Amino acid sequence: MIVQNQPTDVLSDVFETIRAEARCSISLTAGGTWGVAFPMPSHIKVNVVRKGRCWLRVEGEAPVDLTVGDCVVVAGSPFILSSEPDGPTVSARDVFASDGMAAMVGKGEDFSILGGSVEVDPVDGALLTGALPPVMTIKGTDASSIAWLLEELDREWNSAAPGARLMSNDLLRLIFVRVLRLYLMSSDEPSKTWLSALADPHMARALQALHGDPARRWTVADLAHEAGQSRSAFAARFKSLLGEAPLEYLTGWRMRLAAASLRTTRASIPEIAQRVGYMTDSAMSAAFRRVHGMSPARYRNAFGRSPTAADQAPGIGA
């Protein structure tokens, strides 16, 4: 049997490096006049409307009317779900006080929503959270490709079948990735982040090549060739979309891989240096200090934790 390695893709690489995991955690049923205020999220929140409609309210933004099939991702802002575009609210902490997973508010069952979190590494998770807008809303009319995922999530959430919780978590993660894809395709004002750059075919090819072999001695000309552009056009476009030069991005990514290895594996610093493309540990240590403000040894002492069973550095192989 011939087994082919799947090509590297940047989003999967980032998810692996920051150890992103989804947890389907709440359901809310509501009716009549109601409003629930959710605090600033400590993780990325993913909510999907499964019945009825409600208003999403975020300070400084116009209320958004949500209906069945709509998905909302909140990465950095308190928010309100309510039956009206304004009016009083109760705290989500109070609503979910008696049951941390399921709650009812108001009178009746006109509305229901399922929600959960995408939890990321507390140290390096900003790589993803910092690339997201505070709130992303994907309307169900634009998200037909995830309708079957929502139906499966409904089925598993309400199931007592073996593995239902695991299935719900995995489905929520798939929904989150689909929402990111839809957001990238529909966004008219991309931010200067690696995530928005994935919507540009040329930049996506260059980033895929870089992430596929971060230890290679890349030059701007090499990456421009991968992108199918001239060196000058590629460098200008890369800086415009990501806010930094190509080799600055490469160094930053190598240092994230090195940091993840220091936190989660027992690999020696010289071994990590070789894995991320440095001939000596002193060369990597100098770059590491510039990016993280401390030596690799001090970083490991401050943030290191028990390694995984595989004891493998994320994103850079064995």
Side-chain angles (χ1 to χ4, degrees):
M1 181 176 67
I2 298 176
V3 179
Q4 289 184 313
N5 291 327
Q6 190 174 20
T8 298
D9 82 85
V10 179
L11 186 58
S12 297
D13 210 16
V14 169
F15 268 50
E16 180 184 3
T17 300
I18 64 173
R19 303 183 184 277
E21 295 183 359
R23 307 205 187 286
C24 198
S25 55
I26 68 158
S27 67
L28 175 67
T29 301
T33 301
W34 58 276
V36 179
F38 293 82
M40 178 75 75
S42 56
H43 302 290
I44 301 168
K45 295 297 182 183
V46 184
N47 296 289
V48 293
V49 180
R50 303 310 300 133
K51 180 181 179 181
R53 67 194 312 153
C54 76
W55 290 90
L56 169 68
R57 296 151 57 182
V58 178
E59 186 175 356
E61 303 286 339
V64 178
D65 186 16
L66 301 177
T67 59
V68 174
D70 291 354
C71 300
V72 177
V73 174
V74 182
S77 177
F79 63 100
I80 293 170
L81 298 177
S82 61
S83 59
E84 307 296 333
D86 53 23
T89 64
V90 295
S91 167
R93 291 189 178 94
D94 294 336
V95 171
F96 289 93
S98 60
D99 186 337
M101 296 189 66
M104 297 185 68
V105 65
K107 297 181 179 180
E109 300 181 7
D110 304 328
F111 169 83
S112 68
I113 195 167
L114 293 178
S117 301
V118 176
E119 301 177 6
V120 297
D121 186 281
V123 178
D124 221 19
L127 176 62
L128 178 59
T129 57
L132 298 175
V135 179
M136 288 188 296
T137 303
I138 301 297
K139 304 297 289 182
T141 52
D142 301 323
S144 57
S145 63
I146 64 175
W148 70 275
L149 289 171
L150 300 179
E151 292 172 1
E152 287 297 313
L153 180 59
D154 265 346
R155 187 174 295 111
E156 293 297 334
W157 179 266
N158 294 304
S159 168
R165 183 178 64 182
L166 180 62
M167 286 284 289
S168 294
N169 292 344
D170 287 347
L171 286 164
L172 189 73
R173 178 170 166 150
L174 290 173
I175 289 167
F176 177 59
V177 173
R178 288 278 192 168
V179 167
L180 287 181
R181 287 181 178 178
L182 291 166
Y183 171 75
L184 290 176
M185 290 188 294
S186 63
S187 179
D188 296 326
E189 299 179 2
S191 57
K192 289 186 176 182
T193 68
W194 62 269
L195 185 60
S196 61
L198 297 183
D200 182 293
H202 298 290
M203 296 304 105
R205 287 197 294 270
L207 287 173
Q208 179 177 327
L210 183 154
H211 279 251
D213 190 4
R216 175 175 164 179
R217 299 182 68 180
W218 290 102
T219 66
V220 176
D222 291 336
L223 292 169
H225 177 75
E226 296 288 343
Q229 293 181 310
S230 70
R231 185 187 184 282
S232 59
F234 168 76
R237 181 64 172 162
F238 194 101
K239 183 71 177 284
S240 172
L241 284 177
L242 283 90
E244 59 184 338
L247 298 187
E248 289 178 308
Y249 178 90
L250 172 60
T251 298
W253 180 244
R254 285 173 168 175
M255 293 306 99
R256 287 189 182 277
L257 294 176
S261 292
L262 290 166
R263 291 196 308 273
T264 62
T265 80
R266 297 188 184 93
S268 69
I269 292 174
E271 183 181 0
I272 293 171
Q274 192 171 46
R275 286 177 174 178
V276 299
Y278 290 86
M279 298 295 291
T280 66
D281 59 323
S282 59
M284 188 201 77
S285 294
F288 197 92
R289 285 190 187 94
R290 289 196 302 272
V291 173
H292 293 288
M294 65 181 74
S295 70
R298 184 180 171 192
Y299 184 94
R300 172 170 271 167
N301 287 335
F303 301 109
R305 58 180 181 268
S306 298
T308 62
D311 194 23
Q312 179 172 307
I316 53 179

